[in-house]
Amino acid sequence: MSRTITTVKPGLQTCVQELPGREGFLEQGFPLSGPFDAWSFRQANILVGNDRDTAALECQFMGPTLTFDADMLIAVTGADMSPSVDGAPIPMYATVAVSAGQTLTMGFAKTGARAYLAVSGGIATEPVLGSRAVFHQAGVGGHALIAGQALPVGASEASALYVLPESARPVIGTDRVWEVEALCGPNDDWLDEATIEMFFSTDWQIQTKSSRTGIRLTGPEFGFSDKALNKSPDHGQDPSNIIDHGYPMGAVNLAGQTPIILVNDAPSTGGFINPFTIASAAFWKLAQAKPNETLRFRRVDRDGAAALRAEIDAKTKPEILQNA
Amino acid sequence: MLHEALRFYPGGDRAIEVELGDGMDFTINFIVHRLVAAVREARIAGLVDLIPELASFQVNYDPDRISYEDLCHEIEALYAEMGRGVTGTLASRLITIPVLYFDEKTEACVEDYRKDYPEKTPDPELICELNGLPDRAALRRRHASTEYWVAALGFWPGLCSLLALNPTARIIAPKYNPPRTHTPKGAVGLGGALTCIYPDATPGGYQLIGHTPAPTYDGAQRLPDFADSLALFRAGDRVRFKPVERDEYNEIETRVAEGSFRHDIVDYQVFSVDRYLDWAKAQEEASK
């Protein structure tokens, strides 16, 4: 029997993702891609006995309907899209055994924005440039699922059923406000002091035009330092223009007066300043925040960012699993 | 201008911007590429990815394997060892790109934008005006008269930033404000002191002057020249634009559709920066 998953309904842009993403090709303009919320992604994988970085599905806003063509273990984490198997609700953050012929149905996200579905053996699509991570917009590594599409699944001996303790799961709040840790740099010296303070004390609204490429924010105007106002013409006319340079992942990119947080599928280079950068361990919050919700940035330094990384790292290891 | 010393700027907890200088300048860019090559060769543990740019490069690293401070020190040491003299050579291929200047696809794109922004001067006329060129024919001649240096890649798979190697052939152009939401795949544009070829249909801000039927990005790796890489250009390559007329353009388009098109690539060329700089200086003096 073939180990595949067949797409009945694709949902809203369901894509195969893998960690660490497509490394080594940023200099040619390929984004890293990979799962937007790596915390939930890794937890889905360990629940089904996979290495935590194995290829799995990322579902955005509305999940897919899928039929399993073989017996396998599955786990759903992240946004709550009311997953059910053959009509019966299944628990999230728990291993679920499904049989050949059964159908998983997912709906609109009730909390959060992105759900992750891992299957034992992992999604076994053909890697492109060393990764199965999909960059949907340019069709690198494939596209979003379409109805009728079959996804190959790798072999697995896993049979243990686990549950993730509540305390180890990411908390997707219901108050629509997210506190997101951010660092100053690389171009904070292009802003005036008052604007740096303003950035960390403002409620920023997430615009609807937000995606895996960028999270656009609405808020007050930025003020610039002498460095931005008195520069060589090679940088460009706008105060936020700079001689093209690399864009760090998570950079708060200032195009004119609109801050855009550059995330997994964002351009790797460009000609606008990046005064702040989101801590890598806070990325999952950007993935789960919805349009019209609020971001508040909390200033951390590299040590603070390292502490956050260590905390999440410990919560995405198989040792934390409990037997179901 | 080259800075006195490297400047390091942290980009979150996983990236560093290393700035060598200030300016869209061949010399700075050449030193960027030499330093990036040295950093790559040093195989520093925990270093994940490098992005050379015009006057800077970005280092992506794994902070759980190497600290920001240690990585900065290692890069500084490599720079000290390498020296800042602008000498040496790089392997460089020469790639010729056929262009139909002022074609109907990009003209339609410009006109589409001007429906919303009628005050915008059409791209070719704007560039002629700003660069003291009498007409479109002169613009075409100047744009196709020089080799270009692939200074950097990025923004989109395969998108290149090209600097004119002949200083007397330099063309400058402002970027669209606001940018276009759509650019035809294969459009040739000008922005700042750079030229680019749009590898795919994307948003964009460069002024458009023509179109190439020859792909510079092939996600499906259908054409033989993309067997090893989805993107045609590498940093340090050189590019030449060859003006073509409608019949040749159509013929190339047909060969691309059939999957038999081959790019004109001269491989295994060595680019000597000393000899280049002497030549560039002579060009400038001769034009005075």
Side-chain angles (χ1 to χ4, degrees):
Chain A
M1 192 165 32
S2 68
R3 277 177 70 79
T4 55
I5 303 172
T6 303
T7 311
V8 181
K9 286 187 202 164
L12 260 177
Q13 216 185 92
T14 305
C15 287
V16 177
Q17 294 300 343
E18 187 177 38
L19 280 169
R22 191 163 281 104
E23 285 182 340
F25 297 93
L26 285 171
E27 63 174 310
Q28 285 185 50
F30 293 85
L32 201 59
S33 299
F36 198 170
D37 170 0
W39 184 351
S40 300
F41 175 89
R42 285 179 152 170
Q43 291 189 326
N45 266 317
I46 59 174
L47 282 162
V48 297
N50 293 342
D51 178 276
R52 64 183 188 169
D53 294 349
T54 306
L57 291 176
E58 178 176 283
C59 318
Q60 298 200 91
F61 303 110
M62 191 181 86
T65 299
L66 306 164
T67 300
F68 303 98
D69 305 319
D71 297 353
M72 55 188 89
L73 302 179
I74 68 167
V76 182
T77 61
D80 183 357
M81 298 183 182
S82 314
S84 64
V85 170
D86 287 351
I90 58 164
M92 291 180 57
Y93 293 95
T95 320
V96 175
V98 296
S99 310
Q102 286 197 303
T103 298
L104 170 76
T105 307
M106 292 165 77
F108 272 105
K110 289 194 296 190
T111 63
R114 287 172 178 89
Y116 293 87
L117 168 68
V119 296
S120 52
I123 306 291
T125 45
E126 205 54 48
V128 173
L129 304 179
S131 178
R132 295 184 174 89
V134 167
F135 173 33
H136 168 72
Q137 269 187 291
V140 181
H143 282 282
L145 295 190
I146 52 167
Q149 184 181 350
L151 285 171
V153 173
S156 172
E157 300 287 309
S159 59
L161 303 181
Y162 298 109
V163 62
L164 252 155
E166 290 269 0
S167 61
R169 304 176 191 178
V171 178
I172 300 173
T174 51
D175 61 356
R176 303 170 61 80
V177 178
W178 298 83
E179 188 188 74
V180 177
E181 293 80 4
L183 295 87
C184 278
N187 309 119
D188 50 318
D189 57 344
W190 289 62
L191 299 179
D192 63 33
E193 281 298 321
T195 297
I196 293 172
E197 294 310 314
M198 174 279 281
F199 178 76
F200 289 104
S201 60
T202 295
D203 281 1
W204 297 93
Q205 294 319 117
I206 300 175
Q207 296 182 12
T208 45
K209 272 191 296 180
S210 294
S211 67
R212 281 177 50 91
T213 299
I215 307 283
R216 284 168 183 263
L217 303 176
T218 305
E221 295 242 318
F222 283 70
F224 296 91
S225 68
D226 280 352
K227 185 170 177 177
L229 300 171
N230 303 302
K231 58 191 172 189
S232 83
D234 285 359
H235 290 276
Q237 291 127 324
D238 194 275
S240 68
N241 276 149
I242 196 168
I243 293 172
D244 286 33
H245 63 169
Y247 282 168
M249 177 119 105
V252 179
N253 183 253
L254 192 61
Q257 281 288 355
T258 302
I260 305 173
I261 309 175
L262 302 175
V263 290
N264 300 55
D265 288 349
S268 52
T269 64
F272 291 103
I273 56 166
N274 302 299
F276 310 99
T277 308
I278 307 304
S280 59
F283 253 67
W284 72 272
K285 298 177 186 175
L286 303 176
Q288 299 300 355
K290 287 179 178 165
N292 300 317
E293 294 189 343
T294 298
L295 301 185
R296 283 179 195 151
F297 298 103
R298 182 168 74 86
R299 188 169 180 166
V300 293
D301 57 12
R302 277 193 298 279
D303 289 342
L308 290 170
R309 280 200 315 275
E311 208 179 298
I312 293 183
D313 188 52
K315 288 174 177 171
T316 52
K317 287 185 168 162
E319 293 79 48
I320 55 146
L321 295 172
Q322 294 171 346
N323 290 315
Chain B
M1 229 174 28
L2 215 54
H3 295 320
E4 283 299 309
L6 295 180
R7 294 183 190 172
F8 297 96
Y9 300 95
D13 55 333
R14 310 187 70 92
I16 308 174
E17 289 294 334
V18 186
E19 198 177 278
L20 284 84
D22 186 18
M24 282 196 189
D25 173 270
F26 169 82
T27 305
I28 298 173
N29 185 251
F30 186 84
I31 299 174
V32 166
H33 286 295
R34 275 186 67 210
L35 181 54
V36 165
V39 172
R40 206 185 297 279
E41 217 161 281
R43 297 184 174 277
I44 302 166
L47 196 146
V48 176
D49 230 321
L50 291 163
I51 312 175
E53 256 298 343
L54 285 151
S56 65
F57 64 101
Q58 184 181 308
V59 183
N60 292 333
Y61 67 103
D62 177 352
D64 297 320
R65 294 183 65 199
I66 188 165
S67 73
Y68 174 85
E69 291 78 10
D70 286 352
L71 191 45
C72 291
H73 287 147
E74 296 229 24
I75 294 168
E76 247 165 4
L78 288 165
Y79 194 43
E81 200 179 309
M82 189 182 93
R84 292 168 43 186
V86 188
T87 57
T89 58
L90 277 183
S92 170
R93 306 178 301 168
L94 178 61
I95 302 171
T96 303
I97 298 293
V99 181
L100 180 60
Y101 285 90
F102 320 117
D103 66 298
E104 82 283 354
K105 271 185 206 160
T106 49
E107 301 268 67
C109 179
V110 170
E111 282 318 307
D112 201 38
Y113 184 88
R114 291 184 69 240
K115 278 181 200 151
D116 293 329
Y117 304 96
E119 71 285 2
K120 161 86 173 72
T121 308
D123 305 17
E125 279 64 40
L126 179 68
I127 296 168
C128 285
E129 210 177 290
L130 290 171
N131 291 274
L133 294 162
D135 54 21
R136 289 179 169 210
L139 170 57
R140 177 171 76 172
R141 269 199 305 280
R142 181 176 294 184
H143 188 256
S145 71
T146 176
E147 284 180 12
Y148 292 84
W149 174 253
V150 180
L153 299 154
F155 177 70
W156 196 262
L159 187 78
C160 52
S161 295
L162 302 173
L163 272 173
L165 279 169
N166 186 339
T168 66
R170 194 176 259 234
I171 304 172
I172 55 131
K175 292 176 197 169
Y176 272 47
N177 183 23
R180 283 182 306 272
T181 52
H182 176 81
T183 313
K185 174 180 177 163
V188 176
L190 289 159
L194 299 174
T195 281
C196 82
I197 304 161
Y198 286 88
D200 215 338
T202 66
Y206 282 26
Q207 310 285 333
L208 304 179
I209 58 165
H211 187 267
T212 179
T216 56
Y217 171 74
D218 179 0
Q221 293 181 287
R222 210 173 49 86
L223 295 173
D225 291 320
F226 296 87
D228 299 328
S229 171
L230 279 68
L232 182 66
F233 301 118
R234 298 179 212 142
D237 282 341
R238 284 160 304 134
V239 175
R240 194 173 248 296
F241 294 104
K242 177 187 156 205
V244 296
E245 298 306 325
R246 172 66 58 190
D247 51 345
E248 194 176 344
Y249 176 95
N250 290 346
E251 196 194 317
I252 295 168
E253 217 171 29
T254 306
R255 279 189 282 142
V256 170
E258 289 168 0
S260 63
F261 175 76
R262 294 304 303 259
H263 276 280
D264 178 353
I265 303 174
V266 183
D267 211 340
Y268 305 113
Q269 291 211 335
V270 170
F271 187 85
S272 157
V273 67
D274 316 65
R275 290 177 59 190
Y276 161 68
L277 288 173
D278 288 347
W279 175 83
K281 210 168 148 194
Q283 292 297 311
E284 246 170 334
E285 268 157 25
S287 72
K288 276 175 194 164

